[in-house]
Amino acid sequence: MAGVPSSSSVPTTPLLKDELDIVIPTIRNLDFLEMWRPFFQPYHLIIVQDGDPSKIINVPKGFDYELYNRNDINRILGPKASCISFKDSACRCFGYMVSKKKYIYTIDDDCFVAKDPSGNQINALEQHIKNLLTPATPFFFNTLYDPFRDGADFVRGYPFSLREGAPTALSHGLWLNIPDYDAPTQLVKPRERNTRYVDAVLTIPKGTLFPMCGMNLGFNRELIGPAMYFGLMGDGQPIGRYDDMWAGWCAKVICDHLGLGVKTGLPYIWHSKASNPFTNLKKEYNGIFWQEELIPFFQSTTLSKESTTVQKCYIELSKQVREKLSKVDPYFGKLADAMVTWIEAWDELNPSTTAIAPEANGAADKK
């Protein structure tokens, strides 16, 4: 694709240096950034500190960053701060809200640089950028996966009318070492590690949901940012560890409605440690039951033609959450309120934000 260097070339300046923020939720010192220094140092970091706001978080020298704790969130959002989760990595979405950049990359602080099968360090950020800057193919599956990667193309039988593709709103990366398992799977497979590196990127087809993991994720903030709300999770809530999945389900429904694409696959990061499965089970317990209702809800959800922006889509979706999911548990009425509050807070901090119609985002040329 024009403007995106091949994996063998070394860009003289970092891709999207002035157009991308890296958002990191944390409760500890960010020593892990030392490993990422060659890749992250040119970029601006937004660090969202969870837990005790009086705790000092140390950031290695040489990084350009801003750090927000709970006191900052309360000060900036006032009463609307209630929509930002506490004692849960869902707090990261505050970073999405205060960013002023076009793109976001978010990563957890227990994720390190992975290596490909040849032993080369993987620049995860660069691959996410490549995914986001090339079109997606949600309307017809290409059996060679992403046709916009070097060495690939559209296969015989792929309609020429669809080869322009759709703008990519979201790039979902994967993990080596510790898989992203739920607590029951962790308990029955405590020693399982992911050692399989699959050199592929594919577009998730329109109408298909997926379990989004927030620990290695890039997205176009201008295209889908207001939908990337990680919900009410953690402290004071009856559910945890479903924050990223909730955002993924909402975002995918809205992407499908607006004609935007979602990619998954490369890049990999090295997930260094498994969280406690018994602690996770307490957090996930309700979600494990509720997801059997949530998935059919999102699979059957349709949005009206009047919902032409992400904000309008999200408000309409919140009404359906209240109407159809409150019968599952009263929590979902509270969550629907928070979804509306999130959009109000987003628009207050981003008054000039306007959703860009998909047809206005010309798919980039492919070599």
Side-chain angles (χ1 to χ4, degrees), residues 34-256:
E34 287 295 352
M35 178 175 282
W36 287 101
R37 187 180 292 276
F39 308 124
F40 287 2
Q41 191 163 356
Y43 296 88
H44 180 68
L45 312 182
I46 299 178
I47 301 164
V48 184
Q49 178 181 344
D50 197 16
D52 183 2
S54 66
K55 182 179 179 180
I56 302 300
I57 298 292
N58 293 317
V59 181
K61 293 182 179 179
F63 286 93
D64 173 40
Y65 71 92
E66 52 191 305
L67 189 152
Y68 297 93
N69 60 33
R70 192 70 201 185
N71 292 338
D72 299 315
I73 294 172
N74 292 337
R75 173 179 53 82
I76 293 169
L77 295 185
K80 293 184 174 65
S82 62
C83 72
I84 304 298
S85 298
F86 188 56
K87 294 186 178 179
D88 192 278
S89 65
C91 67
R92 78 176 80 221
C93 62
F94 177 76
Y96 310 159
M97 183 186 289
V98 297
S99 171
K100 298 298 181 250
K101 303 291 179 61
K102 182 175 181 179
Y103 299 96
I104 295 287
Y105 174 58
T106 186
I107 186 172
D108 285 0
D109 60 12
D110 62 349
C111 295
F112 300 152
V113 178
K115 293 183 179 180
D116 65 22
S118 299
N120 300 313
Q121 288 192 323
I122 298 169
N123 184 345
L125 180 54
E126 182 181 40
Q127 180 64 52
H128 276 295
I129 291 171
K130 290 179 180 180
N131 292 347
L132 291 168
L133 292 183
T134 51
T137 54
F139 309 119
F140 200 88
F141 189 79
N142 191 58
T143 51
L144 273 182
Y145 306 113
D146 189 345
F148 296 94
R149 288 188 69 197
D150 288 341
D153 212 318
F154 293 97
V155 298
R156 180 172 55 91
Y158 200 102
F160 283 89
S161 59
L162 295 177
R163 294 191 181 193
E164 183 178 335
T168 300
L170 203 155
S171 171
H172 178 257
L174 300 176
W175 351 265
L176 295 172
N177 195 37
I178 305 294
D180 184 33
Y181 284 159
D182 53 36
T185 309
Q186 280 184 292
L187 287 167
V188 298
K189 295 183 174 181
R191 301 184 188 280
E192 183 160 291
R193 299 294 182 265
N194 181 34
T195 60
R196 184 174 56 177
Y197 178 96
V198 180
D199 186 15
V201 177
L202 64 151
T203 296
I204 301 173
K206 181 180 180 181
T208 300
L209 296 174
F210 74 111
M212 188 174 82
C213 174
M215 74 172 91
N216 176 26
L217 185 69
F219 62 92
N220 185 321
R221 185 175 173 275
E222 290 185 358
L223 287 181
I224 200 62
M228 296 297 287
Y229 175 47
F230 277 46
L232 287 178
M233 303 281 160
D235 194 47
Q237 307 301 334
I239 185 174
R241 285 174 54 81
Y242 273 79
D243 51 330
D244 42 8
M245 286 181 280
W246 178 263
W249 295 329
C250 293
K252 185 59 166 62
V253 167
I254 292 173
C255 282
D256 287 351

Side-chain angles (χ1 to χ4, degrees), residues 318-336:
S318 73
K319 295 176 181 177
Q320 296 188 38
V321 167
R322 183 189 313 281
E323 176 186 349
K324 298 181 180 179
L325 293 182
S326 291
K327 63 182 180 182
V328 176
D329 192 273
Y331 161 77
F332 289 99
K334 184 178 179 182
L335 177 56

